[in-house]
Amino acid sequence: MSSVKIECVANEGCRIGESPVWDEKESALLFVDITGRKVCRWSPAAKQVQAISVDAPVSSVALRKSGDYVITLGTRFAALKWKEQLVTTITQVDKDKPNNRFNDGKVDPAGRYFAGTMAEEIQPAVLERHQGSLYTLFSDLSVVKHFDQVDISNGLDWSLDHKIFFYIDSLSYSVDAFDYDLQTGKIGNRRSIYKLEKEESIPDGMCIDTEGKLWVACYNGGRVIRLDPETGKRLQTVKLPVDKTTSCCFGGKDYSEMYVTSASDGMDKEWLSRQPQAGGIFKITGLGVKGVPPYPFAG
């Protein structure tokens, strides 16, 4: 093992930092602050964060083949033009559930945008249960609902052979796998591949490395864990200096750096004074593995 190094690269104080995505074209890290209602872009070269404010909780951001980005905003899929700071709605879901919002989302290997919903939280991880659903936005801008009864729709990614979809519904304390059809985007045959241990707390965002192993950020667990989806074993734990680690992705010029987002919502003054980097963006180097570049939305 090379020596693992953890550094806070942007002490943003995000309320709920989430959805880190490496934008190769800009050599920058995209992320959102959900309750802060901001889409952010951190440039390692400039060592600064640019932010665009939006009119609702923004829970995920993804690259778009035609340029710029797509986001999940409130219960809408939307397009974001960065330079113009222009947001346009693509389509809306959960119209019958005014208390819902989107949570995590990610683009699949065929360019479809998968994202799930949840009820608005009363406080972190406290909410009306079973209100969410998992959706896919196709390149023709049509939407399919895969299933409902979701608590907190969270981390998602696809196996390297594109035959398995990995998914987290946070309050099940489980990382699940589905059979996945790349041609149609259909999923089925759900099963649990890893149950979190008590000290790992709540599974949140997730990404895959080039060895086909999963990395899961543990909310309130202050760590990311590396899992083998085939054996269901935990291979590695990397602890961070903040408890509310929310999501992770690989980035940097060869995708050998891991970026981890974090949150500060729900922390009192005393807790924040012990963890002044809460809500910051962290870079982990020396993991000895690389990540898979993000797929752009094809629509």
Side-chain angles (χ1 to χ4, degrees), residues 13-17 32-40 51-58 265:
C14 290
R15 290 182 57 189
I16 307 178
V32 299
D33 181 350
I34 301 181
T35 39
R37 301 186 170 197
K38 287 188 301 212
V39 184
C40 306
I52 291 178
S53 289
V54 290
D55 66 359
V58 55
D265 264 12

Side-chain angles (χ1 to χ4, degrees), residues 61-80:
V61 58
L63 308 175
R64 191 174 192 176
K65 217 180 196 160
S66 56
D68 282 304
Y69 309 114
V70 278
I71 58 176
T72 48
L73 180 70
T75 50
R76 293 169 281 160
F77 284 105
L80 169 63

Side-chain angles (χ1 to χ4, degrees), residues 196-259:
L196 274 83
E197 294 176 18
K198 199 168 171 36
E199 74 275 8
E200 289 168 345
S201 213
I202 302 172
D204 200 333
M206 168 168 62
C207 67
I208 198 164
D209 65 31
T210 54
E211 294 174 12
K213 308 298 188 274
L214 298 172
W215 292 83
V216 178
C218 301
Y219 181 84
N220 282 345
R223 66 191 70 191
V224 290
I225 54 175
R226 187 182 192 223
L227 309 176
D228 185 334
E230 288 180 22
T231 63
K233 296 263 187 291
R234 185 184 65 233
L235 305 172
Q236 190 178 350
T237 299
V238 180
K239 294 195 174 170
L240 285 94
V242 293
D243 289 326
K244 293 185 179 291
T245 37
T246 53
S247 192
C248 51
C249 78
F250 284 92
K253 60 179 186 303
D254 56 358
Y255 291 92
S256 67
E257 303 164 346
M258 176 176 277
Y259 290 95

Side-chain angles (χ1 to χ4, degrees), residues 55-284:
D55 66 359
V58 55
S59 59
S60 73
V61 58
L63 308 175
R64 191 174 192 176
K65 217 180 196 160
S66 56
D68 282 304
Y69 309 114
V70 278
I71 58 176
T72 48
L73 180 70
T75 50
R76 293 169 281 160
F77 284 105
L80 169 63
K81 282 199 180 315
W82 189 267
K83 267 203 192 75
E84 296 86 345
Q85 301 199 8
L86 186 67
V87 174
T88 45
T89 298
I90 295 170
T91 188
Q92 189 175 7
V93 302
D94 284 3
K95 288 188 178 137
D96 56 332
K97 295 199 158 126
N99 195 38
N100 273 20
R101 68 162 173 83
F102 266 117
N103 202 38
D104 209 351
K106 193 173 276 184
V107 176
D108 81 353
R112 310 174 189 101
Y113 195 2
F114 277 63
T117 57
M118 60 183 279
E120 273 289 6
E121 293 169 301
I122 301 153
Q123 56 198 62
V126 179
L127 72 165
E128 190 183 346
R129 298 190 61 167
H130 313 307
Q131 297 304 301
S133 298
L134 181 68
Y135 293 95
T136 295
L137 176 69
F138 286 76
S139 58
D140 66 359
L141 308 186
S142 65
V143 172
V144 161
K145 183 201 276 198
H146 295 282
F147 50 81
D148 52 20
Q149 297 295 308
V150 174
D151 287 324
I152 301 179
S153 192
N154 236 320
L156 52 176
D157 217 329
W158 291 265
S159 62
L160 302 182
D161 66 3
H162 304 158
K163 289 186 171 155
I164 300 171
F165 168 61
F166 299 107
Y167 177 70
I168 291 168
D169 178 352
S170 289
L171 297 188
S172 70
Y173 296 91
S174 170
V175 180
D176 292 352
F178 293 77
D179 296 345
Y180 163 74
D181 185 331
L182 180 66
Q183 267 19 80
T184 62
K186 282 199 172 77
I187 57 174
N189 184 28
R190 185 175 191 168
R191 64 263 182 201
S192 172
I193 55 164
Y194 183 81
K195 284 275 189 208
L196 274 83
E197 294 176 18
K198 199 168 171 36
E199 74 275 8
E200 289 168 345
S201 213
I202 302 172
D204 200 333
M206 168 168 62
C207 67
I208 198 164
D209 65 31
T210 54
E211 294 174 12
K213 308 298 188 274
L214 298 172
W215 292 83
V216 178
C218 301
Y219 181 84
N220 282 345
R223 66 191 70 191
V224 290
I225 54 175
R226 187 182 192 223
L227 309 176
D228 185 334
E230 288 180 22
T231 63
K233 296 263 187 291
R234 185 184 65 233
L235 305 172
Q236 190 178 350
T237 299
V238 180
K239 294 195 174 170
L240 285 94
V242 293
D243 289 326
K244 293 185 179 291
T245 37
T246 53
S247 192
C248 51
C249 78
F250 284 92
K253 60 179 186 303
D254 56 358
Y255 291 92
S256 67
E257 303 164 346
M258 176 176 277
Y259 290 95
V260 180
T261 48
S262 69
S264 60
D265 264 12
M267 295 173 70
D268 61 21
K269 271 206 177 72
E270 194 271 327
W271 195 353
L272 285 167
S273 71
R274 280 187 286 118
Q275 297 186 359
Q277 296 169 323
I281 310 298
F282 296 84
K283 177 169 85 170
I284 306 177

